[in-house]
Amino acid sequence: MATPNRPPGEAPSPTAQGHTHHLLVALAGQPNVGKSTVFNLLTGLSQHVGNWAGKTVEKKTGVHRHDGWELQMVDLPGTYSLSASSEEELVARDFLLTERPDVVVVVINAAALERHLYLVAELLPLPVRLVVALNMVDVASREGGSLDVGALQRALGVPVVSMVASRNQGVAELVEAVVACAQSPAPPPRSPGIRADHAAVWQEITSLLAPSLPPAFPPGWAAAKLLEGDREITRLAREGCDPGIWPRIEGLLAAHEDGVLAVASGRYEWIARVVHTVVPRPRPGQVSLTERLDRWLTHPVWGLAALAGVFGLVYGVTFLVGSPLQELVERGLTAGLARPLRALLAAAPAWVSGFLIDGVLAGAGTVASFLPLLAIFFAVLALLEDVGYLARAAYVTDRFMHLIGLHGKSSLPLMLGFGCNVPAIMGARILDSRKARLLTMLLAPLVPCASRMTVILFMAPIFFGAWSPLVAWGLVLLSLGILVALGAALGQVLLRRERGAFIMELPLYHRPKARTIALQTWQHSAEFLRKAGTVILVFSGVVWAFSYLPNGRIEDSLLAQAGQAMAPLGAWLGLDWRLLVALLSSFFAKENAVATLAVLFAGGQTPHLAHALAGAFTPLAALSFLVAYTLFVPCVPTLATLRQEAGGWRWAALSFAMLLVLSLLSGALVFQGGRLLGLA
Amino acid sequence: MEGEVSLASIPADATAKVLHLYGGRELVTRLAALGLTPGAEVRMVQNFGRGPLIVLVRGTRLALGRREASRVHVLPAG
């Protein structure tokens, strides 16, 4: 941890630039509390999404301007507490202690006050100016608990603003409270205390620690963290303490191994006292919408059926709405731009117009035509997450995921994989055990992504007619079957029963918020364009060059030579050099396969491709190609993401090697098996 | 304590009071932060005897793996 930028307790000095005063405001809160909604309302499109330095945790920042004030908003990761048990919690805590925001807004759920005050109990002892945003007061009053906001404010000793963020209520009041809070003197840090049986040892550790801690760390808070067994604070205290004192502290800690429960219980005892003064009567046990829905959606049988239905619907919607859009975009780009460009370049050398139109523009067309599908998929997924369904999906798949040594949470990133493997690998961040995260990331490329499905859905009808849905379905099942088998095998090596804990909040179902969904869709799509789009664009130019050099004829180009060099390998799979080249090109982006075939067979004209392909290959060769293609090595963007998330090329290389062998072996098995059966 | 059982053995709709948590410090910290501390009232929402289960604690529905739930020892109410 770095030294704090400012000593604790010093008044914020809003730097005057003209008439604008700047404030650094951090937004804290537990997951599922509507924190993102509050953040979105305050910052809108000024948001910047990046990563916390050196971490794989997403960092969102944005700006809110109000009446001469400029609020630099930082969205901290959603955390249940501030112990260092996950990367998110460590990031949030480090930011609060070292960056010293002028004001910290903690968003809490009025309908689950007790649980949400736990984070407040962790924040109060820190030297920060705290404002409590009491969200979902509408849900709380509907469920029967009438809250006394004034009493809550008195009990906590910090400003409390009630909000209904989903209906844009209370935002202006929140901003005013933040600005007012920044101008008031910092309140003395307060501690909720510890369970009585540990009070003495806590006091003792606190006084032993006090002289040797960095100023940002309140001794009482740090002592509680030591009792909780917090590794980071233990390390800092050990390094900072007088060598004569640390062994005494260590002895006390060893004698109070159960300190973690005493600390947590102390916080909840304090919370119980606060809640007692705020909620005058207990909430009646009312069968809410959530309970009624969950009777079906979390049922071991009906829940799985519902999940299958929901995902069927997701694909239905994605392709029903996406495919026409995709066609529209593609036609607009190629027809609308290629023709004028060709006219413009009439005088230029052939390779210039070839590179620009058949290379770059065709690549841009691929990216653009792919975007509607992904955007719709992202939107539907954001919708499912926002209404609270995704947590249920993880729950019902838990039992199934145990088969491959993982638990239910892993199914969420894997389900993302159906859209694109890149977000699937990034999504594995939600898992708390590193080994489970690695295994999930290694398995993710076996989930057939939307690009692979578009290629399969394009190729299958050409060769299999009415049977093509069955072939597509079979390819998906094959891929998932291999995923399960590989997971079981790798799980034995990698995990050895250490799958991490399955502990997950099931949020209440609620109405989706268009703004949240729109922003998330926008951010994910932009990320895809930035990361994958550039790779695809560059690759399209490269493929074109390889297919053009050395003399402008594809039949004896570098690409053809590479394919022909591998012909003996291809013979085993029944693939000629053109199919091999298509397979190779899918390494750069899965959807490249069709584009490459279009270049090789039809001079880039996709509409004529189907006819040309049908005449060139037998259904058996096509099936072998599709099997090898479905299981082929992860695309470049996926591998790059895997390297970044797993920390090193080692894992990316393992994934590449595993899938290369699997893919070629399966393709050869299909072709040779089919020949034995006399199908060729 | 007499009558002490694992949370995993509580049937649906029954309530119980948490007595103690066993297991590694990390697991205990996480369970405690989510409200499962000694003294907390829990109501079993769903438990089919196999696979994960759902409990209601401090106003929140928590999904727990069976293994995690078996680390929480409780005293059934009534």
Side-chain angles (χ1 to χ4, degrees):
Chain A
M1 273 184 219
T3 11
N5 297 340
R6 252 203 333 269
E10 187 183 303
S13 42
T15 7
Q17 281 181 3
H19 296 294
T20 317
H21 301 290
H22 292 263
L23 281 180
L24 181 60
V25 181
L27 204 57
Q30 297 189 355
N32 308 310
V33 71
K35 186 164 69 74
S36 323
T37 312
V38 175
F39 184 74
N40 291 343
L41 285 173
L42 287 172
T43 59
L45 285 172
S46 79
Q47 284 180 25
H48 176 79
V49 186
N51 270 18
W52 293 87
K55 305 278 180 185
T56 54
V57 181
E58 194 173 77
K59 179 183 190 178
K60 282 188 187 166
T61 53
V63 177
H64 181 81
R65 289 192 182 78
H66 168 76
D67 201 16
W69 291 82
E70 189 175 291
L71 277 54
Q72 274 292 340
M73 307 289 308
V74 177
D75 194 15
L76 297 177
T79 58
Y80 291 104
S81 69
L82 288 181
S83 51
S85 60
S86 72
E87 227 176 16
E88 282 79 7
E89 294 183 327
L90 208 55
V91 160
R93 195 170 82 186
D94 275 359
F95 184 83
L96 294 177
L97 289 176
T98 62
E99 299 295 319
R100 312 301 312 282
D102 297 305
V103 178
V104 178
V105 174
V106 55
V107 187
I108 65 174
N109 179 350
L113 196 57
E114 212 180 339
R115 247 281 319 294
H116 280 262
L117 283 174
Y118 193 81
L119 185 60
V120 178
E122 286 236 57
L123 285 167
L124 277 177
L126 297 178
V128 293
R129 285 185 178 76
L130 201 61
V131 172
V132 172
L134 185 66
N135 196 17
M136 307 192 194
V137 284
D138 56 334
V139 181
S141 63
R142 207 163 48 231
E143 290 199 349
S146 56
L147 287 173
D148 185 343
V149 177
L152 183 61
Q153 188 159 310
R154 282 191 298 279
L156 297 177
V158 298
V160 177
V161 182
S162 28
M163 300 186 75
V164 185
S166 58
R167 279 195 258 125
N168 204 352
Q169 289 169 13
V171 181
E173 290 84 349
L174 178 65
V175 173
E176 268 158 32
V178 166
V179 170
C181 179
Q183 293 168 289
S184 63
R190 281 138 8 94
S191 171
I194 191 165
R195 201 171 62 198
D197 58 347
H198 279 65
V201 63
W202 178 56
Q203 283 295 349
E204 198 175 346
I205 297 178
T206 304
S207 52
L208 283 172
L209 269 179
S212 43
L213 278 175
F217 295 75
W221 177 81
K225 284 289 156 203
L226 288 184
L227 281 165
E228 281 183 65
D230 187 294
R231 272 191 230 125
E232 176 93 0
I233 301 293
T234 306
R235 185 177 61 77
L236 280 172
R238 194 193 306 122
E239 286 166 4
C241 258
D242 193 279
I245 289 180
W246 178 245
R248 285 174 62 193
I249 297 179
E250 218 168 18
L252 287 170
L253 292 176
H256 293 89
E257 284 253 309
D258 55 340
V260 50
L261 283 179
V263 173
S265 299
R267 292 196 188 113
Y268 273 115
E269 280 167 14
W270 170 82
I271 290 167
R273 287 196 296 276
V274 171
V275 171
H276 185 74
T277 62
V278 177
V279 185
R281 59 202 166 85
R283 279 179 272 154
Q286 161 194 9
V287 183
S288 60
L289 171 73
T290 296
E291 232 159 285
R292 278 202 305 272
L293 279 175
D294 268 353
R295 232 167 256 163
W296 296 97
L297 295 180
T298 61
H299 189 275
V301 177
W302 305 126
L304 277 177
L307 178 66
V310 164
F311 264 78
L313 216 63
V314 169
Y315 290 113
V317 169
T318 304
F319 287 102
L320 211 69
V321 183
S323 297
L325 267 178
Q326 190 176 20
E327 225 165 279
L328 214 69
V329 170
E330 207 164 14
R331 207 175 307 149
L333 253 183
T334 42
L337 276 176
R339 216 169 297 146
L341 201 60
R342 214 178 280 280
L344 203 70
L345 293 171
W351 68 267
V352 171
S353 65
F355 174 74
L356 285 177
I357 293 166
D358 301 330
V360 176
L361 190 63
T366 314
V367 175
S369 71
F370 193 50
L371 199 58
L373 281 187
L374 263 188
I376 292 167
F377 185 79
F378 285 143
V380 179
L381 225 55
L383 172 82
L384 288 179
E385 185 182 5
D386 199 40
V387 297
Y389 179 71
L390 277 193
R392 273 73 184 181
Y395 177 77
V396 293
T397 52
D398 182 63
R399 210 177 294 197
F400 176 73
M401 296 302 286
H402 273 68
L403 285 178
I404 51 177
L406 292 168
H407 63 59
K409 261 191 190 177
S410 286
S411 65
L412 295 183
L414 290 180
M415 278 186 256
L416 285 178
F418 282 108
C420 174
N421 290 174
V422 172
I425 287 176
M426 299 199 308
R429 290 171 185 176
I430 60 163
L431 302 171
D432 42 62
S433 137
R434 172 168 162 81
K435 288 178 174 177
R437 205 154 56 216
L438 272 176
L439 181 55
T440 307
M441 289 193 288
L442 286 174
L443 295 180
L446 277 166
V447 178
C449 63
S451 344
R452 255 173 285 178
M453 289 316 292
T454 49
V455 172
I456 291 172
L457 293 177
F458 173 81
M459 298 273 287
I462 299 175
F463 294 97
F464 307 105
W467 293 94
S468 58
L470 209 64
V471 170
W473 190 65
L475 286 169
V476 172
L477 281 191
L478 173 76
S479 200
L480 294 181
I482 290 181
L483 186 151
V484 171
L486 193 67
L490 279 178
Q492 292 289 327
V493 186
L494 207 62
L495 292 176
R496 292 202 200 87
R497 305 178 65 205
E498 186 201 327
R499 68 168 71 91
F502 182 49
I503 307 169
M504 205 172 63
E505 182 188 349
L506 299 180
L508 295 176
Y509 291 104
H510 56 77
R511 205 171 305 155
K513 293 167 289 288
R515 200 186 163 99
T516 307
I517 295 166
L519 263 170
Q520 200 170 328
T521 308
W522 161 249
Q523 281 162 359
H524 283 157
S525 306
E527 197 174 351
F528 165 78
L529 269 186
R530 217 173 33 242
K531 283 195 178 154
T534 38
V535 174
I536 297 174
L537 205 62
V538 167
F539 175 71
S540 303
V542 172
V543 166
W544 177 85
F546 272 84
S547 67
Y548 189 85
L549 296 171
N551 58 17
R553 279 201 312 273
I554 191 161
E555 296 78 17
D556 34 36
S557 64
L558 293 176
L559 197 62
Q561 287 169 27
Q564 278 148 2
M566 288 189 302
L569 180 73
W572 268 92
L573 286 83
L575 311 183
D576 82 343
W577 68 272
R578 291 168 296 191
L579 286 179
L580 276 178
V581 168
L583 194 60
L584 286 183
S585 70
S586 77
F587 168 50
F588 295 87
K590 292 292 171 187
E591 62 278 17
N592 273 344
V594 170
T596 307
L597 286 175
V599 169
L600 293 177
F601 275 93
Q605 300 301 302
T606 319
H608 307 306
L609 182 58
H611 190 70
L613 282 178
F617 302 107
T618 64
L620 183 61
L623 188 64
S624 160
F625 171 77
L626 283 176
V627 166
Y629 167 79
T630 308
L631 302 173
F632 200 56
V633 299
C635 64
V636 169
T638 302
L639 280 177
T641 315
L642 181 59
R643 186 201 71 89
Q644 180 195 320
E645 299 286 312
W649 283 111
R650 206 154 56 101
W651 299 103
L654 176 65
S655 171
F656 180 93
M658 264 181 350
L659 290 175
L660 183 66
V661 172
L662 261 174
S663 143
L664 297 181
L665 217 60
S666 309
L669 265 174
V670 166
F671 187 68
Q672 301 300 339
R675 277 221 315 205
L676 279 179
L677 295 173
L679 292 177
Chain B
M1 193 183 283
E2 202 174 318
E4 177 175 338
V5 294
S6 117
L7 179 61
S9 67
I10 299 292
D13 293 324
T15 55
K17 185 178 261 185
V18 176
L19 290 175
H20 198 78
L21 310 183
Y22 297 90
R25 202 158 237 187
E26 221 156 89
L27 177 67
V28 172
T29 314
R30 289 186 55 200
L31 288 171
L34 285 162
L36 284 165
T37 55
E41 294 269 350
V42 294
R43 183 164 73 79
M44 187 61 68
V45 176
Q46 190 190 78
N47 187 353
F48 284 95
R50 281 180 52 213
L53 45 83
I54 305 176
V55 292
L56 186 70
V57 57
R58 301 185 197 268
T60 306
R61 278 157 194 78
L62 277 189
L64 294 178
R66 187 147 292 271
R67 206 168 47 114
E68 287 72 39
S70 69
R71 302 294 171 84
V72 182
H73 283 211
V74 299
L75 189 67

